[in-house]
Amino acid sequence: MEAAIITIMALLFLSFVALGVFVTVKAVKAAKRGVDRTIDQARRTVEDTTLRAKSFGQAGVTGELARLRLSLRTSMRATQEALHAGVGEDASLKESLDLFHRLSAHGLELDEDLKRLEREPDRAWVAGQLPELTARTERITSSADALRRAARDRALKFAEDDLSALSAQIDVEAGALRHWTTGPETTREAPGAGPETSRPSSSGNHRPAAAPGNAGPATGGEPSAITAPDPRRTAYPWEKSARPETTT
């Protein structure tokens, strides 16, 4: 019996140790991925800043190569962000994302070629390659821009359709809330409201009828809105009529 208990305790201990090791490895890997993303982002920022400075500060072949690389990287990054942001809401963008991945392979190859040409000492030969490199860059960036703009137009179209449907529903609801302004009740007088609002008394004199909802006639010329109505005489459509009190 004691051997079985010791075996169970040992197994539990080993399980906890294995679980701790697994959690630690996962945490280390996640931290490493976070550090790698931060380093990659910092590297891209530095490279973009350097290319921007070269494209504006240097003329000739060096400045043109920097301009081509900056244009390529900016277009590809903007398209990637737009597609990744929209694919979560629109599943049809998965095919567009697959096409972009294929386009990215050509973009990376072109970026490597441009980077190697920056270190080429024969500047005259590099200048002869610029027309072909410019054409390749324009083809890739044009394709990336077309994907990005199509995804944006699709998102805007869906948003516009949803807004139109919502506006139509709100108009219907608003009309339903104002049902008294469109029904025949607007031109029909309330029951009991005729041209004669007085009732002859037994003495032959006419006495004005009391306004419904007031406990009595207003005194001192005070507006009826200031005098609170008698709650016993206030009735709502959803309330049941009060039963008459029995007298003995």
Side-chain angles (χ1 to χ4, degrees):
M1 186 66 180
E2 294 179 355
I5 294 176
I6 294 174
T7 302
I8 293 175
M9 294 296 294
L11 291 176
L12 290 176
F13 177 75
L14 292 177
S15 299
F16 284 123
V17 171
L19 180 61
V21 172
F22 176 76
V23 172
T24 303
V25 171
K26 294 289 288 184
V28 170
K29 288 183 177 180
K32 184 177 182 300
R33 287 194 298 267
V35 172
D36 292 340
R37 284 195 299 267
T38 303
I39 294 175
D40 291 340
Q41 184 176 2
R43 184 184 297 111
R44 286 194 300 267
T45 302
V46 172
E47 289 180 356
D48 291 345
T49 304
T50 303
L51 291 175
R52 191 173 289 108
K54 287 182 179 180
S55 62
F56 287 105
Q58 296 185 12
V61 176
T62 303
E64 185 65 19
L65 291 175
R67 187 188 66 80
L68 292 177
R69 288 191 63 195
L70 183 62
S71 175
L72 176 65
R73 294 162 66 93
T74 302
S75 177
M76 298 296 287
R77 186 177 299 118
T79 303
Q80 182 181 18
E81 292 176 355
L83 293 178
H84 278 288
V87 74
E89 300 178 358
D90 189 359
S92 61
L93 291 180
K94 290 182 178 179
E95 184 176 355
S96 300
L97 192 59
D98 293 338
L99 293 176
F100 175 76
H101 289 160
R102 294 172 57 187
L103 183 66
S104 296
H106 294 278
L108 291 174
E109 182 181 357
L110 175 60
D111 187 66
E112 291 295 331
D113 292 342
L114 293 173
K115 189 184 301 185
R116 283 194 297 268
L117 290 176
E118 288 179 346
R119 300 187 295 269
E120 176 64 37
D122 190 355
R123 313 310 287 175
W125 180 81
V126 175
Q129 302 296 318
L130 282 178
E132 189 270 335
L133 295 172
T134 302
R136 285 177 61 189
T137 304
E138 291 178 352
R139 290 181 61 184
I140 295 175
T141 56
S142 297
S143 299
D145 294 343
L147 282 175
R148 184 177 68 255
R149 290 165 184 166
R152 181 188 61 184
D153 294 342
R154 182 180 178 85
L156 291 177
K157 177 61 178 176
F158 284 163
E160 182 181 357
D161 293 343
D162 183 69
L163 179 59
S164 299
L166 180 60
S167 300
Q169 293 177 2
I170 291 176
D171 292 340
V172 172
E173 180 65 18
L177 293 175
R178 299 192 186 97
H179 63 89
W180 65 86
T181 62
T182 57
E185 290 81 358
T186 56
T187 58
R188 201 164 47 187
E189 296 180 351
E196 296 179 1
T197 59
S198 62
R199 179 179 298 174
S201 62
S202 59
S203 61
N205 297 327
H206 297 281
R207 181 182 300 173
N214 293 336
T219 59
E222 190 178 22
S224 59
I226 298 179
T227 305
D230 187 357
R232 294 174 299 175
R233 300 177 60 89
T234 303
Y236 296 96
W238 54 85
E239 294 180 348
K240 294 182 179 180
S241 58
R243 296 180 179 177
E245 298 178 359
T246 59
T247 57
T248 56

